Amino acid sequence: MKLIIAIVQDEDATRLISSLMTEGYGVTKLATTGGFLRSGNTTLLVGVSEDKFDNCLAIIEKVCKNRKQIATNPVTMGNTSEMYMSYPVEVTVGGATVFVLSVDQFIKY
Ligand code: 2BA
């Protein structure tokens, strides 16, 4: 068994959860925040058996889209964090950042 941890954009989360649930996957949704943009995103935990693993990744890839976003990040000047300026940066976010972990045990009480 594998645990898929998928960080996706909020805009894709509802459709992705629906697609996964329709195909019989168990999903847990976490409200998370990206460290760079400091804006909300969604992290999904999906426990999958080996035989359903590839299909799960295919669904994530199909549903989650790349989007360009403008970020305004603080830039520290000199050695003090009190002096900073902001400038706009365009970044491409997503489709999905996926981590795959091997699961030693899967227990339900
Ligand atoms: P954020 O950290 O808010 O990053 C949003 C997007 O900003 C990233 O999209 C990337 O295009 C850009 N970005 C991130 N760090 C950057 C940097 N130091 N310099 C320039 N641009 C930077 P994605 O790569 O698609 O990441 C989307 C979200 O996935 C991230 O949101 C973060 O929540 C998560 N993530 C990405 N890589 C991760 C990692 N190695 N570990 C944990 N979470 C990660």
Side-chain angles (χ1 to χ4, degrees):
M1 185 179 212
K2 302 285 189 193
L3 176 63
I4 294 174
I5 301 173
I7 303 164
V8 305
Q9 293 173 73
D10 290 345
E11 292 90 331
D12 295 324
T14 302
R15 201 156 75 88
L16 179 57
I17 291 168
S18 297
S19 300
L20 291 170
M21 298 290 292
T22 300
E23 300 231 10
Y25 293 95
V27 182
T28 295
K29 176 189 173 195
L30 305 173
T32 46
T33 303
F36 187 70
L37 293 177
R38 315 246 169 106
S39 62
N41 53 27
T42 297
T43 299
L44 300 183
L45 307 181
V46 191
V48 296
S49 54
E50 307 283 342
D51 57 316
K52 295 180 77 179
F53 175 75
D54 289 339
N55 185 54
C56 184
L57 289 187
I59 294 169
I60 294 170
E61 185 178 12
K62 185 175 154 197
V63 171
C64 297
K65 309 292 182 205
N66 284 330
R67 291 185 186 84
K68 292 197 187 306
Q69 213 164 310
I70 301 293
T72 307
N73 292 316
V75 179
T76 304
M77 306 287 285
N79 292 324
T80 168
S81 60
E82 289 175 9
M83 288 179 61
Y84 68 90
M85 58 181 285
S86 294
Y87 66 97
V89 183
E90 185 180 80
V91 294
T92 302
V93 186
T97 299
V98 178
F99 300 88
V100 178
L101 284 68
S102 293
V103 174
D104 280 346
Q105 292 187 67
F106 173 57
I107 302 166
K108 283 188 176 181
Y109 292 108

